[in-house]
Amino acid sequence: CAIVIIINNSLQEYGGDMAIGAYGIINRLLTLYVMIVLGLTMGMQPIVGYNFGAQKIDRVKQTLRLGIISGVVITSSGFVICEFFPHAVSALFTDSDELINLAVEGIRLAVLMFPFVGAQIVIGNFFQSIGKAKISIFLSLTRQLLYLLPCLLLFPQWWGLKGVWISMPVADTIATVVTAIVLVNQFRKFKHVPN
């Protein structure tokens, strides 16, 4: 909620009510794909948890791999639709040309790193499945709070409304790198677990 308040304040300052409306469209579109990935991870969690408990690490890795591939495919489909058909998807929410044009600009910038968001969500929930709740919470907070907040405070001052949109893929990029590092470290620990 705090992040949405900051986003809305930045949008109000640099783009007015129409920019807030454009963010509403973008947020609804991205949330649709994120919810699908969350459903996928809920189905993945008991499989990972059971096999991790049974120390069947190969099955854990295989389930994670399939989960990541599926998550990336889902968010990549969202990326493709938003990048190539932004007018069409924006027009589903409004008939205002001004609002559609603002949403189109925002969508194209906000989804630049969206294909990787699917992997981040799957990996974050994977850590919850293997009993590492602190790491899972950390990875969830990094994308929406730790990296996005500073970007939202800095970028709009430099680039105005475009800075608000750019802050989202920048935060996703940093979160992707951190998530990959954490996962690689976990895989190193798996090498010491007997199958």
Side-chain angles (χ1 to χ4, degrees), residues 6-42:
I6 292 167
I7 290 173
N8 284 340
N9 286 339
S10 296
L11 291 169
Q12 182 67 48
E13 183 177 346
Y14 296 102
D17 291 340
M18 282 293 192
I20 294 174
Y23 175 70
I25 292 171
I26 294 165
N27 194 35
R28 294 291 183 276
L29 287 170
L30 301 186
T31 300
L32 171 68
Y33 291 97
V34 167
M35 289 298 169
I36 296 170
V37 177
L38 286 173
L40 168 76
T41 63
M42 287 179 192

Side-chain angles (χ1 to χ4, degrees), residues 172-188:
D172 288 339
T173 302
I174 299 167
T176 298
V177 171
V178 171
T179 301
I181 292 168
V182 172
L183 184 63
V184 167
N185 286 336
Q186 181 61 49
F187 272 25
R188 287 183 183 146

Side-chain angles (χ1 to χ4, degrees), residues 17 49 83 112 126 131 141-143 190:
D17 291 340
E83 282 293 331
L112 286 175
F126 163 76
L141 288 177
T142 56
R143 179 171 169 257
F190 280 159

Side-chain angles (χ1 to χ4, degrees), residues 10 15 17 22 26 30 43 57 77 87 106 108 126 130 138-139 173:
S10 296
D17 291 340
I26 294 165
L30 301 186
I57 302 304
S77 68
H87 283 90
R108 285 194 163 139
F126 163 76
I130 62 171
F138 169 74
L139 292 177
T173 302

Side-chain angles (χ1 to χ4, degrees), residues 158-173:
W158 300 332
W159 299 302
L161 180 58
K162 192 174 278 190
V164 178
W165 306 134
I166 290 171
S167 64
M168 296 174 198
V170 169
D172 288 339
T173 302

Side-chain angles (χ1 to χ4, degrees), residues 37 40 44 61-77 115 118-119 122-123:
V37 177
L40 168 76
M44 182 189 86
K61 289 180 180 178
Q62 182 182 10
T63 305
L64 175 63
R65 184 175 59 80
L66 291 173
I68 290 172
I69 290 168
S70 301
V72 168
V73 166
I74 291 165
T75 52
S76 293
S77 68
V122 170
I123 294 167

Side-chain angles (χ1 to χ4, degrees), residues 98-111:
E98 184 183 356
L99 183 53
I100 289 171
N101 289 335
L102 266 175
V104 165
E105 180 187 357
I107 287 170
R108 285 194 163 139
L109 291 172
V111 301

